[in-house]
Amino acid sequence: MKNRSTRGIIIFFAFLLLVSVFNGYAQQNLELKARSGNVTAMFKLAEEYYKGIGRLQDDRQAFIWYKQAADKGNLEGSYMVAYMYEAGKGCSQNYTNAFNYYMKAAERGHENSQLKVAIMFDAGLGTKRSLSRAYLWYRICAERNEGLAQRRIADCYLTGEVVEENWQEAVYWYEKAVDNQDTVAMAYLAYILSSNGAIAPNYAKADSLTKIALQKNIPMAEYVYALFLENGYEQKVNKKKAMEYYNKAAKGGILQAKEVVAIENYKKTNSITQILDLKQIYRAETYLILAQAYKEGKEVKKNNKKSLEYYRKAANMGSLEAQTYLENNKKRR
């Protein structure tokens, strides 16, 4: 029995030695092929260095071999070189080089690279910002069911950037993104469904979507939730709690929430400073405050023409006070 056991151990270690020799030979053979210009071998060698398979993990060596494969036309190599430039792995971080390698792969149909190109055009990262060019790449990605791209297409239709404003199209693309579990898209779809715009409100669906997005602290979800608390849509009216969420959303960059906070500040301080800083106006109340300020010359230079312009905007958004003022102003003429 002892002899049999000893023989088994010897055979086992002999097998391990044979495997080690074979692997060493395979590694040497792979490196020889890579050095002789075999693109497939270059990429495979890069993968082994990157993942630490069969050799010590080494980002620097991985980058060198990915780049050689990429420069010979390997699509995955181009993507990996771009990724490593973007992340600063195995090389100095360089967004311009990252963008250029992503673009090389994207133009040849590499799907992940196409989405990266869209994102970088969108952010102006490694290239000049261009929402119109980002939109074209997002559209390609959206058509093949990429959630982020679908949401950004919807954003463009919601705001009227690059394409004509169209809330029906926005809903179409947001719904597709929601199907892909995009929680930001859930929040923006909830916003549309709780607004009195071109789409009939659906407060129950908006409330359901908002609750999911709130768990991820999405600023637009915080705004919609505040809207519900302020007006009693699917929630009990709670003005104090509504303001808490408006403030949260405002800190998250939501322009609609910043407007509510500015109005609240005006009510407390009687100052229009925050209102004058608003980039966009969504509420009739804000236009009415500005109309009165320009009429009286309060914190701004008196300007009757501008005052009338703001009264008209407030009236068009349903302000009875503004409509009454304009009617009386006509009679006085």
Side-chain angles (χ1 to χ4, degrees):
M1 286 291 288
K2 260 189 179 179
N3 288 340
R4 194 177 297 171
S5 177
T6 303
R7 195 181 308 120
I9 292 169
I10 292 170
I11 292 170
F12 175 72
F13 279 106
F15 174 75
L16 287 181
L17 180 63
L18 186 64
V19 169
S20 178
V21 170
F22 177 78
N23 284 340
Y25 173 76
Q27 287 167 11
Q28 286 180 342
N29 190 42
L30 179 65
E31 197 156 338
L32 283 171
K33 282 183 178 179
R35 291 187 185 282
S36 67
N38 184 300
V39 180
T40 302
M42 288 174 181
F43 181 77
K44 191 173 179 184
L45 182 58
E47 289 277 273
E48 288 189 359
Y49 274 120
Y50 185 76
K51 296 174 181 177
I53 297 173
R55 59 189 77 233
L56 288 175
Q57 200 279 335
D58 189 329
D59 283 342
R60 181 63 187 158
Q61 284 297 315
F63 175 79
I64 289 168
W65 288 108
Y66 277 134
K67 191 170 185 303
Q68 288 197 48
D71 291 342
K72 285 185 174 288
N74 185 282
L75 279 179
E76 287 294 333
S78 290
Y79 175 79
M80 286 304 299
V81 169
Y83 165 73
M84 293 182 86
Y85 268 130
E86 184 183 7
K89 291 187 75 171
C91 61
S92 297
Q93 190 175 57
N94 189 314
Y95 292 124
T96 302
N97 287 347
F99 174 80
N100 290 336
Y101 274 94
Y102 280 135
M103 181 60 86
K104 281 181 184 179
E107 287 176 335
R108 291 176 57 202
H110 190 270
E111 293 183 356
N112 288 338
S113 294
Q114 289 173 343
L115 183 59
K116 279 289 189 177
V117 164
I119 291 168
M120 293 181 88
F121 268 130
D122 199 353
L125 196 63
T127 186
K128 186 177 179 181
R129 186 175 188 272
S130 172
L131 186 54
S132 59
R133 296 185 74 179
Y135 176 87
L136 294 175
W137 287 103
Y138 277 136
R139 189 82 193 204
I140 291 168
C141 300
E143 295 288 356
R144 65 165 180 264
N145 207 29
E146 171 59 56
L148 171 60
Q150 290 165 339
R151 187 228 302 164
R152 289 300 289 130
I153 293 292
D155 291 341
C156 289
Y157 279 114
L158 177 65
T159 60
E161 292 182 276
V162 180
V163 292
E164 190 174 342
E165 184 180 318
N166 187 323
W167 281 28
Q168 282 87 357
E169 279 291 310
V171 167
Y172 173 80
W173 287 107
Y174 278 134
E175 284 181 339
K176 282 188 168 294
V178 167
D179 288 342
N180 280 309
Q181 306 304 310
D182 189 307
T183 48
V184 177
M186 291 178 189
Y188 278 85
L189 181 56
Y191 167 68
I192 291 177
L193 295 176
S194 59
S195 301
N196 293 313
I199 303 296
N202 185 334
Y203 300 120
K205 185 175 180 180
D207 181 55
S208 176
L209 291 167
T210 300
K211 284 174 181 171
I212 298 169
L214 269 178
Q215 293 172 15
K216 300 289 185 180
N217 300 314
I218 307 297
M220 181 52 87
E222 291 168 344
Y223 172 78
V224 176
Y225 187 60
L227 199 66
F228 279 26
L229 289 167
E230 180 188 9
N231 297 286
Y233 305 144
E234 302 295 318
Q235 304 285 343
K236 288 183 179 179
V237 173
N238 188 329
K239 303 282 187 181
K240 185 179 178 181
K241 195 173 181 181
M243 277 312 304
E244 286 177 19
Y245 276 89
Y246 278 133
N247 275 295
K248 282 184 181 182
K251 286 175 184 174
I254 302 301
L255 297 179
Q256 294 92 329
K258 287 182 179 182
E259 182 177 7
V260 177
V261 172
I263 292 170
E264 188 68 14
N265 182 67
Y266 166 76
K267 289 175 180 176
K268 288 178 180 177
T269 66
N270 210 28
S271 171
I272 64 167
T273 304
Q274 281 191 24
I275 289 175
L276 291 171
D277 288 339
L278 293 173
K279 291 181 180 177
Q280 199 164 339
I281 293 173
Y282 300 89
R283 296 190 173 210
E285 185 179 359
T286 311
Y287 281 125
L288 188 60
I289 292 166
L290 287 170
Q292 290 166 345
Y294 279 102
K295 179 188 170 188
E296 298 166 7
K298 180 184 173 185
E299 292 187 74
V300 290
K301 190 176 179 180
K302 191 173 181 179
N303 187 325
N304 288 329
K305 186 178 178 182
K306 210 162 190 177
S307 175
L308 274 173
E309 178 192 334
Y310 285 131
Y311 270 121
R312 289 191 188 103
K313 286 183 176 181
N316 289 338
M317 292 178 76
S319 170
L320 291 176
E321 188 176 340
Q323 290 166 7
T324 302
Y325 174 83
L326 291 172
E327 283 297 321
N328 292 336
N329 193 55
K330 274 184 185 177
K331 290 174 185 176
R332 283 196 295 269
R333 288 181 184 178

